[in-house]
Amino acid sequence: QVQLVESGGGSVQAGGSLRVSCAVSAYISRHMYYIGWFRQAPGKEREGVAAIYTGGGSTAYADSVKGRFTISQDNAKNTVYLQMNSLKPEDTAMYYCAAKSSVWLGYVSINPQNYNNWGRGTQVTVSS
């Protein structure tokens, strides 16, 4: 079972940027995974933010972050990044990465129910 460790969270003012990282305990260039970023704010359900298929680099984003967030992978470091720009207070949440080993299904999902390996999360706080 793959292990995932998030890092890079922190506090930033609105309009600022952060990059969070997800270190994966597997060769993501050899073993195909869907890897996603999800977030959960207090009192709210966990929601999908962005995801990538490591086999070809296809991505998907939630409408709320399109044009502001970018997901990417570094095969040499077995790491998936989420670059977050133009941050808003409503982006404040615990951010989790998750993975699912899979062949290419023809699409990239950001539905948390489609992922079965989860990290412990990293907190992102955006102040106004």
Side-chain angles (χ1 to χ4, degrees), residues 1 6 14 17 53 55 59 61 81 86 88 106 113 115:
Q1 189 171 4
E6 302 94 334
S17 298
Y53 184 63
T59 59
Y61 294 90
Y81 300 102
S86 301
K88 304 175 181 179
Q113 294 183 349
Y115 292 78

Side-chain angles (χ1 to χ4, degrees), residues 3-23:
Q3 294 183 335
L4 308 166
V5 179
E6 302 94 334
S7 62
S11 298
V12 65
Q13 289 190 331
S17 298
L18 276 176
R19 188 180 75 166
V20 290
S21 303
C22 175

Side-chain angles (χ1 to χ4, degrees), residues 98-111:
K100 180 178 176 61
S101 178
S102 176
V103 298
W104 173 241
L105 299 175
Y107 62 93
V108 178
S109 170
I110 57 171
N111 184 340

Side-chain angles (χ1 to χ4, degrees), residues 10-13 18 91-93 123-127:
S11 298
V12 65
Q13 289 190 331
L18 276 176
D91 294 318
T92 295
Q123 178 68 37
V124 172
T125 302
V126 184
S127 58

